[in-house]
Amino acid sequence: MTNTHGSHTGHDHSHADFQPDIKEPKEDWEFLEITLRELLVDKGILSAREIQDEIEAWEKKSPEKGAEIVARAWADEDFKARLLEDANQTIRDFGIEVDVLKMVALENTSDLHHVVVCTLCSCYPRPILGVPPLWYKSKQYRSRVVREPRAVLNEFGTSLTKDTEVRVVDSTADCRYLVIPVRPSGTENMTEQELAKLVTRDSMIGTAQALDPLGLRS
Amino acid sequence: MNNRLISDIGGLPEGPLDLSEHEPTMTERRIDAMMMLLRAKPRSFWASDENRRTIESLEPDTYKKSEYYERWVLAMKDLLIEKGILTDAEIESKLIEVRSRMETS
């Protein structure tokens, strides 16, 4: 750092030039967040520690949970049958708490492709897929996927043959969906752990297929 | 079909998707965390469909112009008042305090 400023030796720049690592709030709603949080903490309704713990817990919820479930379903026909029959109980047996949500698993095949949306807001199976991607919450996806799913899937680079029926399912506050993508060919000898790596988030929403055995898009 | 709710946009014409991923900001993470804590056990102050109802009841202009988590925090404020957990007056006076503190620091 010594000579990077040439003849600059004094401390003549303002501290305001320093870029903070975390952006300072400037929007009304960012001030509102601070306000509500401080009031809730002051009144003992929430604690600062709990909020931090919840943020950490959120970061741990990832599509990997869903991928493990799908890999098990690919590897174990009985498990898949139970998952399709009673997703809540089967996911709970798998060790994941889905709380009050009704979970429904949908199997994609070469003849039938499911894709999930929440047209009214952003309902998403968070316990198994984590936080929804930005596009899932966008008005473009919510508006269009129910009217022109094939065009939307094409924008994801996912093209289906004409013979494949496309079924779009709309989530609600109480009911969430998990898509079981088609098991890629050439994966017959793979372990469950290896299979799970092929199951992407988007393939469990239905906007993509699973990856090929090399972990690539075929 | 002219009396759709502001959030009822399924089937309407729209432009191309933006597929970029977004790393949530700390403000967004905290709003999300608080919302989950307030509606989950043991507090259960409200259910997730009440979140949606509150977001849908925002002024249409506010709904259209606001960011995703901006809607959430506005809905959270309305729900906290509706459920008698906080009052409008205490939120307004705290907001003034927070603003003056943050803007002078």
Side-chain angles (χ1 to χ4, degrees), chain A residues 28 33 35 37-38 43 45 50 58-59 120-122 126 142-144 146-147 155-156 201, chain B residues 7 9 11-12 14-15 17 21 29-30 32 43 52 63 68 70 85 90 94-95 99 101:
Chain A
D28 288 346
E33 181 275 323
T35 299
R37 174 163 45 88
E38 292 189 0
K43 288 175 164 255
I45 293 163
E50 261 183 313
W58 169 18
E59 286 166 359
L120 289 173
C121 44
S122 56
R126 283 176 172 233
R142 289 163 50 199
S143 298
R144 289 178 52 214
V146 289
R147 181 181 286 262
E155 285 178 42
F156 282 90
R201 176 195 69 199
Chain B
S7 57
I9 61 174
L12 296 179
E14 266 298 339
L17 302 180
E21 300 288 331
R29 283 167 207 248
R30 286 193 299 253
D32 197 287
R43 293 179 185 82
R52 192 160 66 80
Y63 182 95
Y68 182 77
E70 181 175 3
I85 298 157
E90 67 186 337
K94 184 77 175 178
L95 196 52
R99 271 185 179 283
R101 187 183 78 210

Side-chain angles (χ1 to χ4, degrees), chain A:
Chain A
M1 284 295 286
T2 43
N3 281 322
T4 50
H5 288 264
S7 63
H8 177 130
T9 50
H11 194 92
D12 56 1
H13 64 277
S14 155
H15 277 273
D17 293 343
F18 189 78
Q19 290 293 313
D21 293 330
I22 295 174
K23 263 177 41 185
E24 300 288 333
K26 56 178 194 298
E27 305 289 342
D28 288 346
W29 64 279
E30 295 175 308
F31 289 112
L32 180 60
E33 181 275 323
I34 298 168
T35 299
L36 296 180
R37 174 163 45 88
E38 292 189 0
L39 283 171
L40 291 168
V41 170
D42 287 349
K43 288 175 164 255
I45 293 163
L46 296 179
S47 76
R49 184 65 257 160
E50 261 183 313
I51 296 170
Q52 282 310 116
D53 287 344
E54 183 69 20
I55 291 172
E56 277 190 47
W58 169 18
E59 286 166 359
K60 280 185 203 139
K61 281 179 192 166
S62 71
E64 282 153 33
K65 291 284 175 207
E68 288 170 21
I69 295 170
V70 169
R72 173 72 55 86
W74 282 348
D76 179 342
E77 284 293 328
D78 288 342
F79 179 85
K80 183 165 81 183
R82 289 202 303 278
L83 185 62
L84 292 169
E85 176 73 27
D86 182 352
N88 280 72
Q89 189 57 47
T90 311
I91 292 170
R92 197 170 295 127
D93 293 345
F94 202 78
I96 299 167
E97 192 43 66
V98 288
D99 202 25
V100 293
L101 299 175
K102 161 83 176 158
M103 286 294 313
V104 175
L106 302 166
E107 185 181 18
N108 280 354
T109 66
S110 54
D111 301 324
L112 175 62
H113 185 94
H114 297 90
V115 56
V116 182
V117 65
C118 173
T119 59
L120 289 173
C121 44
S122 56
C123 297
Y124 193 71
R126 283 176 172 233
I128 49 174
L129 293 190
V131 179
L134 209 55
W135 55 258
Y136 187 84
K137 307 186 287 191
S138 73
K139 62 181 185 200
Q140 289 83 7
Y141 183 73
R142 289 163 50 199
S143 298
R144 289 178 52 214
V145 76
V146 289
R147 181 181 286 262
E148 42 174 3
R150 284 174 198 271
V152 169
L153 290 174
N154 273 329
E155 285 178 42
F156 282 90
T158 304
S159 54
L160 301 171
T161 62
K162 274 193 179 153
D163 304 334
T164 308
E165 179 186 341
V166 181
R167 211 171 277 175
V168 182
V169 290
D170 199 355
S171 315
T172 68
D174 307 307
C175 179
R176 314 290 166 96
Y177 298 94
L178 168 69
V179 172
I180 305 172
V182 175
R183 179 173 177 163
S185 55
T187 57
E188 293 72 20
N189 298 321
M190 292 176 79
T191 65
E192 235 178 87
Q193 275 179 320
E194 290 168 334
L195 289 170
K197 293 199 176 84
L198 311 182
V199 186
T200 64
R201 176 195 69 199
D202 287 9
S203 74
M204 292 181 280
I205 306 173
T207 53
Q209 310 282 13
L211 300 174
D212 73 14
L214 297 174
L216 301 170
R217 286 263 160 240
S218 37

